[in-house]
Amino acid sequence: MAINSKTELPEDRLNFEALKSHHKSKAIASISKQQNPFDLLRILYEGAVSGAAAGVVVEAALYPIDTIKTRLQAVRGGGQIILKGLYSGLTGNLVGVLPASAIFIGVYEPAKRKLLDSFPENLSALAHLTAGAIGGAASSIVRVPTEVVKQRMQTGQFSSAPDAVRLIAATEGFRGLYAGYGSFLLRDLPFDAIQFCLYEQLRMGYKLAAKRDLKDSENAMIGAFAGAITGAITTPLDVIKTRLMVQGSAKQYEGILHCVKTIAREEGASTLFKGIGPRVLWIGIGGSIFFGVLERTKKLVAAKQLVD
């Protein structure tokens, strides 16, 4: 029987169109992959701007509570804390907080995206935990000297940030600006990982239940809860970090373990929870402001980039 080429043409055309569509999809996917570096740079930029704004607003608004917390943790035995000069060191601290917060969120956001793309969906919490720890480690280069200067000023050791930097470097060397670096990482890497994981997971669950994007007030509420819980859990680590950072050249403590043993022996284990009230209040309110401002700024920066 003779084959009629005209009757086979529609099937050939369908096959051709399917093949063309397949190659087009592959080309689009390839272009998309090539654009990833630019996407990551955009995410980094948005994160840096949003993080800087959120960090500065929180620090300026809640600095007195942080000062009270630091003084409670630094005082030994039954010593009294001073309630004067609660804004001592704020200006110098803001100078450090701005780049530190920008680095943290600038690193956290692209790391989170990369990890979420790499991990199975059921391991999203691990992606958030890891990204939080990576962001914390990256920003610690700026955060540690900022924290050392801030806490020395909060405890009345110096009257200005430039004096603090100069005198710490002169008496303790450059390493003095990184006093308590190990204890800082011991506190902040778990803190950052847990806080951001809690926030992201709660936000995902809330969004799924509400079936819509969250309002600023809802982001703030979730941020407050995540901050308060994480702040309470990590209080002992915060006490150790504070003691090591403010001890200066006196060197009362030789390291993290020695600090823990000395506090427990001389002041009792309950001292490790000193300042838990102000800390939970500060980080709870701070989490509310930080994540509220963060999400709002991210939206504004993204909208501006679309317009441009």
Side-chain angles (χ1 to χ4, degrees), residues 9-302:
L9 186 60
E11 186 181 346
D12 291 341
R13 183 170 292 166
L14 281 171
N15 289 337
F16 174 74
E17 290 296 333
L19 189 63
K20 193 166 114 179
S21 175
H22 174 69
H23 285 303
K24 188 177 178 183
S25 297
K26 283 181 77 175
I28 291 169
S30 175
I31 291 168
S32 178
K33 280 182 182 178
Q34 288 171 8
Q35 288 176 340
N36 276 343
F38 297 101
D39 288 341
L40 286 174
L41 284 174
R42 176 182 56 78
I43 294 163
L44 189 152
Y45 168 73
E46 289 176 6
V49 173
S50 306
V56 167
V57 171
V58 170
E59 204 66 27
L62 302 176
Y63 196 77
I65 301 174
D66 182 35
T67 301
I68 292 169
K69 183 270 302 179
T70 298
R71 290 177 182 176
L72 279 169
Q73 292 178 343
V75 72
R76 300 188 70 182
Q80 297 296 309
I81 67 162
I82 300 167
L83 294 177
K84 289 180 181 178
L86 296 180
Y87 280 95
S88 179
L90 174 60
T91 305
N93 190 51
L94 291 180
V95 171
V97 164
L98 194 148
S101 299
I103 292 169
F104 181 91
I105 301 297
V107 170
Y108 170 77
E109 286 293 339
K112 177 183 77 173
R113 298 289 179 94
K114 272 285 188 187
L115 290 166
L116 285 172
D117 287 344
S118 304
F119 289 6
E121 196 174 336
N122 63 336
L123 292 179
S124 63
L126 182 59
H128 293 135
L129 273 169
T130 308
I134 292 170
S139 64
S140 67
I141 298 166
V142 178
R143 286 165 79 184
V144 173
T146 301
E147 189 86 353
V148 168
V149 171
K150 177 190 80 171
Q151 294 200 323
R152 300 279 182 94
M153 291 186 69
Q154 286 176 329
T155 52
Q157 295 182 38
F158 303 103
S159 57
S160 72
D163 284 347
V165 173
R166 189 176 66 254
L167 289 169
I168 290 169
T171 58
E172 302 170 50
F174 182 73
R175 289 181 65 182
L177 291 168
Y178 285 87
Y181 188 70
S183 62
F184 180 90
L185 293 180
L186 182 67
R187 180 203 70 171
D188 270 46
L189 295 192
F191 177 87
D192 293 332
I194 295 167
Q195 184 185 29
F196 275 79
C197 179
L198 265 177
Y199 172 74
E200 297 279 13
Q201 292 296 307
L202 287 170
R203 194 165 174 266
M204 283 167 58
Y206 195 109
K207 203 171 179 179
L208 200 64
K211 296 179 181 176
R212 58 172 172 78
D213 285 335
L214 303 188
K215 299 174 185 174
D216 291 342
S217 58
E218 291 168 328
N219 286 322
M221 178 186 70
I222 293 168
F225 181 77
I229 294 295
T230 312
I233 293 169
T234 56
T235 296
L237 302 176
D238 189 46
V239 171
I240 296 162
K241 187 255 340 166
T242 299
R243 291 292 182 93
L244 289 170
M245 281 188 168
V246 303
Q247 69 177 334
S249 55
K251 295 296 177 188
Q252 297 162 307
Y253 311 108
E254 295 169 7
I256 295 169
L257 287 176
H258 182 253
C259 181
V260 174
K261 288 176 183 176
T262 304
I263 290 172
R265 185 178 65 252
E266 295 180 1
E267 303 171 62
S270 61
T271 301
L272 291 169
F273 285 90
K274 253 188 174 183
I276 189 170
R279 178 170 166 79
V280 169
L281 178 66
W282 167 52
I283 297 177
I285 299 172
S288 170
I289 298 170
F290 182 88
F291 286 109
V293 172
L294 180 71
E295 298 299 341
R296 169 50 53 185
T297 310
K298 277 161 68 175
K299 286 177 186 175
L300 292 173
V301 172

